Amino acid sequence: MIERVQRGFVLGLAVLLALPLPAQQSASQNQGNANQGAYVLRTESDLVLTNIVARDAKTGQVVLGLKQSDFTILENGKPQQISDFDFESVDMAKPLNEATIGGLASSARGKTATSGVRPEDLKDHRLIVFFFDLTSMQPEDLDRSVDAAKEFLNHKLQAADLIALVSLDTELKVDQDFTSDKDLLIGKIGMYNGTEGSAFAQGATANSNQVEDASGYTPDESEYNDINTDRELFALKAISQSLEKINQKKSLLYFSGGLSRDGIENQASLRSAINAAVRANLSIYSLDTRGLQAVSPLGDASTASLRGTGGYNGGAIQNNFNANFASQETLTTLSVDTGGKAFLDNNDFSPAFAQIQRDTSAYYVIGFHSTNQARDGRFRKLTVKVNRPGVKLEYRPGYYAPADFKHSGKEDRERELEDELASELPATDVALYLDAYYFRLDENRFYVPVSLIVPGSQIPFVKGGDRDKATLDVIGEVIDDAKRPIGHVRETVKLAVDQQQQARQKNIQYSTSFNLPPGKYHLKFVVRENQNGHMGSFEADVVLPDMKKVPLKMSSILLASQRVPTKATNPLVHEGEQYVPNISHVFRQGQHLYLLYEVYSPAKVKLAADATSKAAKGAINLMSSLELIQGSTKVFETPVVQATALNVAGRDAVAVELDVPLDKLKPGTYIGQLNVIDDAGGSFAFPRFAVLVRENEPAVDAAPAAAGTGAAAPQP
């Protein structure tokens, strides 16, 4: 494993998870406070560390006795001078004073805890984290896991092993920091029992047996499953980041009841978790606690009775196989990409513990200072050679150089944006969220507005007079179903807002648009703040429907809390004001909830044969209303809005606008149901969406600042 490190060391998994600031930042602040009024000289040393396992090519046994002079290391083909060399072996581990490393998990959040353990004290020790994902395990699976862990602690734990216990339930908790106290660990693991487990069952999806029968209604709970998976992956990332400052090789045994993904929905969080583990020199060993499973075509007790023909044509058994594979594929990806191993379909859990001990029993550590001083963030390939014949080396193939944004030129900065846009690995330094809508322009074209939100706290504003200033680079593209780029955006957005608007406490929203034909598309956007060069990316799929096959032809439902004056002409502009999409669906009591949507080609009212009919030729009868539901109670409903004629020239469309004042609603979460009925055509739709109403607070809205084809503005 290769890791970029700085001089210095922090021990204590619980403390690192609890502190509000990164360990390095806190240390520098404490040092500054202790030396006020004095000159302080600080130096930074980047050291590249490589862990190498040397094995006999024939027997696989670890080769001992190698010296620094036996190794040669090259970076991108150029020889490097080895400055640090060490050999780690559990057979040479020295006993540790338990009082200096145990019990840190009980420290209150935010309080400091000290450790008497020095970096050299951890030499030759194994650092293993047992991570119990209680949200994914059923009670019987948890019991088997606890029994296996106790068996390992009772009979296989070695003096060099330091074990930490972490669990994920309603929150991520460090139940025991690193210790080799067997009795203490067994007592802590005893807390994980069948009554403590709270597995979140996977909801129904299009691939589950629950939704096979089209005669009954079963909601598609894919988004619910995506949130659960993201939560588990974020927990793995947090554990990895808390261990970055410990140079030793570390292992994590992940007790899980399966981890399912829905297409690319969890791709960013998966890659982010893997990247954090690689940087922290942490190998993940995944253990499927369900053991060997019998996949039945009729399902098991977790599903309802099978309906339809799936039990006879093979569809049901295929669904069950797909679900089982999907839940194990993510576990395998986590292990393979971090240098660990996945243990699946086995009722014997002991091989997982033995594999961890074997992989971390003995290895060489080589460190060097790179001759390439460029801080360009590029991948650098490492090649390690040994002058002994018949020796096979195991090591990671490279590392990413540190990046220094302030010293990069215009061409380098532009290339970084293009590289990140093309990269499969997401940028996660800046939080970013994206949403897209669609409005039909004609039978073969849609207007697709896209909005991105960046928290103002993530943007380093610089004071300039009475205004806060910042610059954002935005780049994005649209790719069609054939993987061809058909839309591209590249803008530099300059923000200059009044300090009284407190932009750091709000969201900064950027908007742009595309004109696209019907079809399936993939959107990816990258945003970079130009003070420190931090980037964030977001990907999403958009489906523009073929409305010839839809009974009630509707656009997206756009929610907004602002309408701003504009001279532009597009489906979001009405009477000289443009709707600014509120993609978070979070509103204040003092605001208005504006809804905008369009209905296309509504049915015409059939005229009676006699001349007494009052309906005009070509008249329509479209009715709309909005209900707000809290729990099982309808707390608000707008009057019915009726449209009897088209009101959008040249597009055969009716634009419906609803205005709901929120001052009389109590703070809380609401479900909004839009009732749309085409009475003349006998078609209808009842789409739903969530809305969060918060208490009112004084705020000054800012109009979007023009930026080419897009716009950016603080959102209250």
Side-chain angles (χ1 to χ4, degrees):
M1 166 61 204
I2 299 92
E3 182 184 13
R4 301 292 294 190
V5 299
Q6 293 180 343
R7 299 294 187 184
F9 181 83
V10 176
L11 177 68
L13 176 62
V15 176
L16 289 171
L17 282 174
L19 286 177
L21 295 175
Q24 180 182 350
Q25 182 178 354
S26 300
S28 62
Q29 289 180 350
N30 293 337
Q31 184 178 2
N33 294 336
N35 294 278
Q36 290 181 356
Y39 291 101
V40 179
L41 177 63
R42 293 184 176 89
T43 61
E44 183 177 299
S45 177
D46 290 321
L47 181 68
V48 183
L49 293 179
T50 309
N51 297 328
I52 302 170
V53 178
R55 299 187 185 277
D56 187 282
K58 295 182 179 179
T59 65
Q61 297 296 320
V62 176
V63 177
L64 306 177
L66 296 178
K67 302 178 181 179
Q68 176 176 331
S69 57
D70 294 325
F71 291 93
T72 302
I73 188 165
L74 300 92
E75 179 186 273
N76 290 339
K78 296 182 179 181
Q80 305 294 318
Q81 183 177 357
I82 299 176
S83 59
D84 291 73
F85 180 83
D86 197 6
F87 177 68
E88 301 269 347
S89 174
V90 296
D91 295 333
M92 300 183 294
K94 297 180 180 180
L96 292 175
N97 181 4
E98 290 299 326
T100 63
I101 61 173
L104 293 181
S106 61
S107 300
R109 181 174 295 273
K111 294 183 180 180
T112 59
T114 59
S115 172
V117 176
R118 300 167 299 173
E120 54 268 26
D121 293 333
L122 291 178
K123 176 177 168 57
D124 302 319
H125 286 81
R126 289 194 192 97
L127 298 177
I128 306 174
V129 179
F130 287 178
F131 178 31
F132 289 83
D133 185 0
L134 304 180
T135 66
S136 67
M137 288 190 285
Q138 298 298 330
E140 61 273 13
D141 301 337
L142 181 56
D143 289 340
R144 287 198 300 269
S145 303
V146 170
D147 291 342
K150 288 182 177 179
E151 177 69 18
F152 167 77
L153 294 173
N154 275 318
H155 303 289
K156 301 295 184 181
L157 186 68
Q158 299 181 11
D161 294 335
L162 298 176
I163 311 295
L165 303 179
V166 181
S167 62
L168 176 65
D169 194 347
T170 55
E171 62 179 350
L172 181 63
K173 296 181 292 185
V174 179
D175 300 306
Q176 176 57 49
D177 210 336
F178 289 109
T179 181
S180 59
D181 189 331
K182 179 173 63 176
D183 295 334
L184 178 61
L185 289 168
I186 292 176
K188 293 287 186 178
I189 288 182
M191 297 187 306
Y192 310 137
N193 52 60
T195 60
E196 294 293 332
S198 57
F200 295 157
Q202 289 290 313
T205 66
N207 291 325
S208 61
N209 288 341
Q210 294 101 308
V211 296
E212 185 183 344
D213 185 4
S215 64
Y217 173 72
T218 302
D220 189 338
E221 297 171 323
S222 299
E223 292 187 4
Y224 166 84
N225 298 336
D226 294 340
I227 294 173
N228 284 342
T229 299
D230 275 341
R231 187 169 176 265
E232 292 157 330
L233 293 172
F234 290 154
L236 287 170
K237 178 181 177 181
I239 296 172
S240 300
Q241 290 176 335
S242 70
L243 296 171
E244 282 185 353
K245 301 301 179 182
I246 303 177
N247 293 339
Q248 269 70 21
K249 187 175 182 180
K250 299 165 287 289
S251 305
L252 182 143
L253 183 55
Y254 181 28
F255 296 90
S256 173
L259 199 60
S260 298
R261 291 193 297 136
D262 180 21
I264 67 166
E265 293 300 324
N266 304 108
Q267 192 72 4
S269 51
L270 173 63
R271 290 173 176 167
S272 180
I274 291 173
N275 191 34
V278 169
R279 290 181 178 180
N281 199 3
L282 177 68
S283 297
I284 299 176
Y285 294 78
S286 301
L287 178 59
D288 188 347
T289 59
R290 295 170 295 182
L292 185 60
Q293 302 176 74
V295 179
S296 168
L298 301 180
D300 53 28
S302 66
T303 63
S305 299
L306 182 64
R307 299 169 294 183
T309 61
Y312 307 97
N313 60 17
I317 186 67
Q318 187 62 51
N319 285 344
N320 289 336
F321 273 120
N322 290 341
N324 185 63
F325 172 79
S327 66
Q328 294 181 341
E329 183 269 339
T330 308
L331 296 178
T332 303
T333 301
L334 283 168
S335 297
V336 172
D337 289 356
T338 59
K341 185 177 180 180
F343 295 85
L344 314 171
D345 300 325
N346 195 335
N347 292 331
D348 183 9
F349 296 166
S350 59
F353 300 93
Q355 186 70 38
I356 290 179
Q357 288 187 319
R358 178 180 181 272
D359 290 349
T360 55
S361 61
Y363 57 92
Y364 295 89
V365 182
I366 291 179
F368 69 93
H369 299 278
S370 175
T371 57
N372 185 355
Q373 299 299 318
R375 306 179 70 86
D376 51 14
R378 293 187 176 183
F379 182 80
R380 298 177 182 179
K381 182 180 179 181
L382 292 180
T383 303
V384 182
K385 300 179 180 180
V386 64
N387 61 5
R388 296 277 188 92
V391 177
K392 180 182 178 181
L393 302 181
E394 300 175 2
Y395 59 93
R396 292 191 182 273
Y399 72 99
Y400 285 94
D404 190 339
F405 179 77
K406 293 182 179 180
H407 293 85
S408 59
K410 182 178 180 180
E411 294 182 358
D412 291 335
R413 294 187 178 189
E414 200 65 26
R415 187 190 67 250
E416 289 175 1
L417 282 175
E418 295 286 352
D419 289 346
E420 183 56 44
L421 185 64
S423 174
E424 294 186 357
L425 187 68
T428 57
D429 292 332
V430 175
L432 179 65
Y433 182 71
L434 173 150
D435 203 0
Y437 307 85
Y438 58 84
F439 294 82
R440 194 181 76 173
L441 298 177
D442 54 48
E443 290 187 358
N444 296 310
R445 213 72 183 171
F446 285 89
Y447 174 78
V448 182
V450 178
S451 291
L452 298 88
I453 279 184
V454 180
S457 59
Q458 305 255 312
I459 302 175
F461 285 90
V462 177
K463 291 185 178 181
D466 60 347
R467 304 177 74 84
D468 289 337
K469 298 182 178 181
T471 304
L472 299 178
D473 279 326
V474 180
I475 188 170
E477 68 177 359
V478 181
I479 301 176
D480 65 10
D481 208 26
K483 308 300 182 182
R484 298 172 301 186
I486 62 172
H488 191 271
V489 171
R490 171 66 181 95
E491 295 190 55
T492 298
V493 180
K494 296 182 179 180
L495 299 173
V497 297
D498 293 335
Q499 294 179 6
Q500 64 180 2
Q501 292 180 311
Q502 299 178 339
R504 292 178 177 87
Q505 301 178 13
K506 302 179 181 180
N507 292 325
I508 304 300
Q509 182 165 334
Y510 167 86
S511 299
T512 187
S513 62
F514 301 92
N515 287 345
L516 302 171
K520 296 180 180 179
Y521 300 94
H522 183 73
L523 276 67
K524 181 174 182 179
F525 274 75
V526 178
V527 173
R528 179 180 65 194
E529 53 87 6
N530 285 328
Q531 185 67 22
N532 300 316
H534 294 160
M535 289 189 287
S537 63
F538 196 95
E539 300 182 52
D541 290 329
V542 176
V543 178
L544 304 182
D546 182 0
M547 291 193 172
K548 296 178 181 178
K549 304 177 182 179
V550 181
L552 184 63
K553 304 172 178 61
M554 281 185 59
S555 70
S556 299
I557 302 171
L558 187 147
L559 277 64
S561 57
Q562 293 187 76
R563 295 183 297 193
V564 297
T566 182
K567 295 182 180 179
T569 56
N570 61 62
L572 304 190
V573 178
H574 292 266
E575 297 182 357
E577 290 188 327
Q578 178 166 323
Y579 285 79
V580 180
N582 184 325
I583 66 177
S584 64
H585 291 195
V586 178
F587 297 82
R588 296 285 180 183
Q589 286 179 300
Q591 296 177 328
H592 286 235
L593 168 60
Y594 301 115
L595 271 78
L596 171 67
Y597 71 94
E598 295 180 347
V599 176
Y600 307 104
S601 305
K604 303 298 188 293
V605 176
K606 294 182 180 180
L607 300 179
D610 56 6
T612 61
S613 175
K614 298 181 180 180
K617 185 178 180 180
I620 63 174
N621 189 13
L622 186 69
M623 294 176 286
S624 301
S625 66
L626 173 67
E627 300 176 7
L628 293 179
I629 304 169
Q630 195 167 46
S632 59
T633 305
K634 180 171 66 175
V635 299
F636 178 83
E637 183 175 6
T638 65
V640 176
V641 176
Q642 185 175 21
T644 58
L646 302 176
N647 59 12
V648 179
R651 293 201 288 121
D652 192 20
V654 177
V656 181
E657 301 175 77
L658 298 179
D659 182 354
V660 180
L662 301 177
D663 53 350
K664 295 182 180 180
L665 290 178
K666 296 180 179 180
T669 302
Y670 297 85
I671 297 298
Q673 176 174 300
L674 186 62
N675 306 315
V676 184
I677 300 175
D678 184 355
D679 191 55
S683 57
F684 49 83
F686 305 101
R688 286 188 169 193
F689 49 84
V691 175
L692 175 61
V693 178
R694 290 180 172 172
E695 292 184 358
N696 192 24
E697 66 177 15
V700 180
D701 291 345
T709 60
Q715 300 297 313

